[in-house]
Amino acid sequence: MAVVGVLALQGSYNEHMAALRRIGVKGVEVRKPEQLLGVDSLIIPGGESTTMAKLANYHNLFPALREFVGGGKPVWGTCAGLIFLANKAVGQKTGGQELVGGLDCTVHRNFFGSQLQSFETELSVPKLSEKEGGNDTCRGVFIRAPAILEVGPDVEILADCPVPADRPSITVSFGEGTEEEVYSKDRVIVAVRQGNILATAFHPELTSDSRWHRFFLDMDKESQAKAFSALSLSSSSRDTEDRPKNKPLDLPIF
């Protein structure tokens, strides 16, 4: 059975562990680099992203996390975990924070405002429903949440949501040499997938809906199937190379 690691430095890791238990999956708390060797996939939970980054630095986790993501094993970041996985984060505190990266997107660290502006809303998730069944909506719990401002061409958008009317005005710069501009779109991206990376700006672990966790586990099954297929093809290729080539019959001459 697949073993799911949950980064347990700070934040809602206990809630993810409980969600995994509800669907009969073994979860393991991860706090040190060597513990990543014993898990098949990894959840990076929500929390305070700056604090999580400081603790990850203290435990020398960033190199191991980057290797894990780059190795193709499934990784899911929720809220602060989304920030960790983004290639670029804006709206950070002075000095910024270290990122794991791997997800081709720009995330705004505190898009929806302060803790007092946390909210819940229904999100349209047709791809989740198609994959895992149930309604084509899910409950999104946003707690001092980030949001994804733009994505690369290989990133699949799984959910977006209306921008709340009471959200503070945000001015962002999308790159060096570009002018700052006010984010004026009516909707903003809150869930994406890129290859082995899943990211949500909200907290599925704080609801009774287990479909996001099952969706993530299906990513792990896909990863294992691909690895098995690659191994089988490699073995078949070696067998062909090792097999002696057919020699022409050495017939007698009369």
Side-chain angles (χ1 to χ4, degrees), residues 78-99:
T78 62
C79 196
L82 158 61
I83 299 171
F84 259 48
L85 292 172
N87 283 346
K88 181 181 179 182
V90 297
Q92 299 192 78
K93 295 179 180 179
T94 303
Q97 68 180 67
E98 191 169 355
L99 303 174

Side-chain angles (χ1 to χ4, degrees), residues 132-176:
E132 304 299 337
N135 297 329
D136 59 1
T137 63
C138 77
R139 195 69 177 164
V141 180
F142 293 81
I143 302 175
R144 199 182 177 191
I148 298 169
L149 304 181
E150 59 178 13
V151 298
D154 296 326
V155 178
E156 179 184 18
I157 298 172
L158 300 177
D160 61 12
C161 79
V163 176
D166 62 346
R167 178 191 58 80
S169 177
I170 289 178
T171 303
V172 294
S173 172
F174 290 104
E176 294 183 9

Side-chain angles (χ1 to χ4, degrees), residues 54-70:
K54 289 179 179 178
L55 290 169
N57 262 321
Y58 177 79
H59 292 288
N60 194 32
L61 269 163
F62 276 104
L65 288 170
R66 292 189 184 106
E67 183 178 354
F68 194 94
V69 173

Side-chain angles (χ1 to χ4, degrees), residues 4 37 44-45 58 68-69 71 78 93 116 121 123 138 145 148 156 167 184 193 197 203 214 223 231 243 252:
V4 181
L37 299 175
I44 303 178
Y58 177 79
F68 194 94
V69 173
T78 62
K93 295 179 180 179
L116 294 175
T121 188
L123 300 171
C138 77
I148 298 169
E156 179 184 18
R167 178 191 58 80
S184 58
R193 178 182 178 183
I197 301 175
H203 292 264
R214 295 203 305 267
S223 175
L231 180 63
R243 190 181 301 124

Side-chain angles (χ1 to χ4, degrees), residues 5 20 33 49 53 64 79 87 109 114 122 151 155 164-165 170 172 194 204 207 228 235-236 240-241 243:
L20 291 171
S49 60
C79 196
N87 283 346
R109 180 181 176 275
S114 68
E122 290 295 318
V151 298
V155 178
I170 289 178
V172 294
Q194 180 185 353
T207 74
F228 180 78
S235 298
S236 175
T240 302
E241 291 174 359
R243 190 181 301 124

